[in-house]
């Protein structure tokens, strides 16, 4: 039996966007829900959220759903981290929260929005843990909380199952996302022993997809490979150009303070230039402007000018 990687766009949406019981199990395992607040039912919502500002791109999420009490849940799988991703997550969660009521309705009708973001990259290298939970808290008294938005980020590369045996379902789902792929020959018995995870494993069997879907699956990984290459190249060139520019300007301004300010300015300029170069390269690969905007953080207007 050959399996597909569940982290790909096609497979992730198939598993968690078409099987309410599976996304419900994933959410209950990974969200910071208090005892008695488990999700018991799910209704899928449209994943496309169109911003009110027509100059901004549509924001597409992988899965969006709500339960019977009105709590909304946004689930995204992000293969490559970019600094703009946190802002996009906050934007999507805020938009979902604000659109729960119409003008003139009471604010008490608003229900919490949870945004679960699974990232196949390390974006907090200085922090040891893989699980990052953000919410609105009082700066001096963290027990004082404003309910509404809760953002959760999971760094998959930091996850090691032997360190987290106390959270069984969370470990099983994260093992599913990190261990099942095209190289899987035999699925671990611990995963097959759980009916929900077993169902998710079966859902990514290659035989479950059409030839056209498999072609799209391969193209997805090609795009990811190109994107990683472009980001790595841009990072290396940006660092080099920024350091050279910074040292030049720093020398002109003189000694320690001038070098520090010049290097920072040069690196910022270099990053901006390399981001534009990334967009040019992506256009040459035939990627859609909307996809380029999502990957680089540039606006459609900026991309069209390149």
């Amino acid at each position: 039996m050959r399996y597909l990687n569940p982290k790909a766009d096609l497979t992730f949406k198939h598993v968690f966007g078409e099987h309410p019981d599976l996304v419900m199990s994933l959410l209950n395992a990974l969200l910071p829900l208090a005892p008695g607040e488990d999700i018991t039912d799910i209704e899928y919502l449209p994943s496309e959220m169109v911003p009110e500002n027509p100059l901004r791109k549509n924001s597409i999420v992988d899965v969006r759903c709500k339960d019977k009490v009105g709590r909304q849940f946004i689930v995204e799988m992000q293969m490559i981290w970019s600094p703009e991703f946190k802002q996009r997550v906050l934007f999507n969660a805020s938009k979902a929260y604000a659109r729960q009521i119409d003008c003139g309705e009471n604010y008490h009708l608003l229900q919490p929005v949870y945004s679960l973001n699974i990232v196949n990259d390390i974006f907090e290298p200085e922090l040891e843990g893989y699980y990052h939970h953000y919410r609105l808290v009082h700066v001096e008294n963290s027990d004082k909380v404003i309910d509404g938005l809760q953002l959760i980020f999971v760094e998959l590369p930091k996850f090691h199952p032997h360190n987290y045996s106390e959270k069984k379902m969370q470990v099983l789902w994260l093992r599913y996302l990190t261990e099942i792929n095209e190289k899987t020959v035999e699925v671990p018995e611990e995963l097959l022993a759980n009916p929900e995870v077993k169902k998710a494993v079966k859902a990514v069997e290659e035989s479950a997809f059409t030839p056209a879907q498999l072609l799209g699956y391969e193209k997805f990984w090609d795009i990811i490979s190109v994107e990683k290459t472009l980001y790595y190249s841009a990072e290396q060139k940006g660092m080099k150009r920024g350091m050279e520019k910074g040292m030049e300007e720093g020398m002109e301004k003189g000694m320690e303070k001038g070098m520090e300010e010049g290097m920072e300015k040069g690196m910022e300029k270099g990053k901006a230039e390399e981001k534009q170069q990334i967009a040019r390269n992506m256009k040459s690969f035939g990627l859609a402007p909307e996809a380029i905007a999502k990957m680089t953080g540039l606006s459609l207007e900026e991309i069209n000018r390149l």
Side-chain angles (χ1 to χ4, degrees), residues 43-50 59-65 72-74 96:
E43 172 191 348
Y44 285 115
L45 299 171
S47 58
E48 181 174 319
M49 304 175 70
V50 183
S59 188
I60 308 299
V61 300
D62 291 326
V63 179
R64 194 162 72 96
C65 50
Q72 290 197 31
F73 309 96
I74 298 173

Side-chain angles (χ1 to χ4, degrees), residues 1-3 14-15 19 22 176 180 187 192 195-209:
M1 183 65 64
R2 184 173 184 264
Y3 300 94
H14 173 62
V15 174
H19 300 87
L22 299 186
Y176 168 75
I180 304 300
V187 179
L192 296 178
E196 293 159 344
V197 180
K198 181 179 180 179
K199 180 178 178 179
V201 170
K202 187 170 182 60
V204 293
E205 291 179 357
E206 184 181 33
S207 58
F209 300 91

Side-chain angles (χ1 to χ4, degrees), residues 58-124:
N58 291 351
S59 188
I60 308 299
V61 300
D62 291 326
V63 179
R64 194 162 72 96
C65 50
K66 69 176 181 178
D67 65 0
K68 63 181 179 181
V69 298
R71 294 180 298 180
Q72 290 197 31
F73 309 96
I74 298 173
V75 186
E76 286 202 61
M77 178 72 232
Q78 184 75 5
M79 293 302 300
I80 302 175
W81 179 262
S82 64
E84 298 82 10
F85 185 60
K86 280 185 180 179
Q87 281 66 47
R88 188 168 73 85
V89 167
L90 180 59
F91 172 81
N92 284 335
S94 301
K95 185 65 67 174
Y97 185 76
R99 288 190 170 181
Q100 293 182 64
I101 61 174
D102 295 322
C103 294
E105 290 187 312
N106 292 328
Y107 291 114
H108 74 270
L109 297 174
L110 291 167
Q111 294 296 322
V113 172
Y114 293 82
S115 178
L116 173 61
N117 305 277
I118 303 170
V119 185
N120 195 44
D121 206 349
I122 293 178
F123 59 91
E124 294 286 10

Side-chain angles (χ1 to χ4, degrees), residues 78-222:
Q78 184 75 5
M79 293 302 300
I80 302 175
W81 179 262
S82 64
E84 298 82 10
F85 185 60
K86 280 185 180 179
Q87 281 66 47
R88 188 168 73 85
V89 167
L90 180 59
F91 172 81
N92 284 335
S94 301
K95 185 65 67 174
Y97 185 76
R99 288 190 170 181
Q100 293 182 64
I101 61 174
D102 295 322
C103 294
E105 290 187 312
N106 292 328
Y107 291 114
H108 74 270
L109 297 174
L110 291 167
Q111 294 296 322
V113 172
Y114 293 82
S115 178
L116 173 61
N117 305 277
I118 303 170
V119 185
N120 195 44
D121 206 349
I122 293 178
F123 59 91
E124 294 286 10
E126 71 280 3
L127 300 180
E128 182 178 353
Y130 68 87
Y131 191 92
H132 310 287
H133 177 204
Y134 296 84
R135 58 178 181 167
L136 296 174
V137 300
H138 191 288
V139 173
E140 297 176 351
N141 302 282
S142 58
D143 59 322
K144 302 295 182 181
V145 180
I146 297 178
D147 291 322
L149 301 181
Q150 299 209 38
L151 312 180
I152 297 89
F153 297 85
V154 177
E155 294 177 282
L156 286 182
K158 286 184 179 179
F159 169 72
H160 302 289
H162 56 274
N163 294 337
Y164 307 98
S165 58
E166 74 280 3
K167 297 182 179 180
K168 181 180 178 181
M169 281 309 300
Q170 184 174 123
V171 169
L172 289 177
W173 278 120
L174 294 181
R175 286 190 62 186
Y176 168 75
L177 290 170
T178 55
E179 296 180 17
I180 304 300
N181 53 52
E182 299 87 345
K183 297 179 180 180
T184 300
V185 176
E186 185 175 351
V187 179
E189 292 184 5
E190 309 90 274
L191 301 186
L192 296 178
N194 182 274
E196 293 159 344
V197 180
K198 181 179 180 179
K199 180 178 178 179
V201 170
K202 187 170 182 60
V204 293
E205 291 179 357
E206 184 181 33
S207 58
F209 300 91
T210 66
Q213 288 176 321
L214 294 175
L215 184 62
Y217 174 84
E218 297 296 336
K219 185 176 181 180
F220 169 83
W221 289 115
D222 288 342

